[in-house]
Amino acid sequence: MRDPEMRELNREHRRRDAATDVLSFPLYEPADFERNGRTRLRARPAAGEQMLGDIVISVDTAQAQAAAYDAPLAREVERLLIHGVLHLCGHDHERAGERRTMEREERRLAEAIGMPWPYLGALR
């Protein structure tokens, strides 16, 4: 998605009149997840894959952030996807404690897929 459309979505769903890098639209409530340690649903689905919700990424913002972090665009999109998945799982970064937990999970998931993490100290 491009920034103008992302700005519209952000305004409509979060009442913030600006483009953003990633928006997540969860199907579950934050309380449905265990977020101490490894993030997982409290109640396991019977079988098969589990839909968590939708993630929208702004390519324009991702490209600008990739340049700022001196990272390839594809890696920044992967990072935003990880970030968005964690939002689907009830994580947030509004408060310092939540932010530390979410960042720890971002790094853990990046490591699990073999993704280098060039963002230490650079993320808000």
Side-chain angles (χ1 to χ4, degrees):
M1 176 171 286
R2 307 309 297 247
D3 273 351
E5 293 84 10
M6 184 63 105
R7 179 180 180 179
E8 187 175 321
L9 273 179
N10 202 20
R11 183 175 44 240
E12 180 181 338
H13 293 280
R14 297 178 65 224
R15 292 180 168 77
R16 296 187 182 174
D17 190 17
T20 189
D21 51 4
V22 61
L23 288 173
S24 299
F25 300 95
L27 293 176
Y28 293 92
E29 295 297 322
D32 293 334
F33 290 89
E34 175 64 46
R35 292 186 313 275
N36 298 326
R38 292 180 178 222
T39 302
R40 62 182 142 261
L41 273 170
R42 292 183 191 280
R44 296 274 187 205
E49 297 176 2
Q50 187 64 41
M51 178 75 168
L52 298 175
D54 294 314
I55 298 170
V56 181
I57 295 173
S58 168
V59 176
D60 296 332
T61 301
Q63 192 164 26
Q65 289 177 174
Y69 303 145
D70 196 27
L73 176 59
R75 184 167 304 141
E76 178 62 5
V77 170
E78 289 172 341
R79 184 191 71 80
L80 292 172
L81 183 58
I82 288 170
H83 189 86
V85 166
L86 289 172
H87 277 307
L88 292 179
C89 295
H91 284 277
D92 205 348
H93 46 78
E94 295 297 318
R95 293 183 294 201
E98 293 173 336
R99 185 170 36 259
R100 281 191 299 276
T101 300
M102 188 168 181
E103 288 172 354
R104 190 170 42 249
E105 276 294 89
E106 284 177 324
R107 289 190 303 274
R108 184 183 71 79
L109 292 175
E111 183 178 321
I113 63 170
M115 182 181 132
W117 194 259
Y119 304 100
L120 294 176
L123 298 178
R124 302 183 249 142

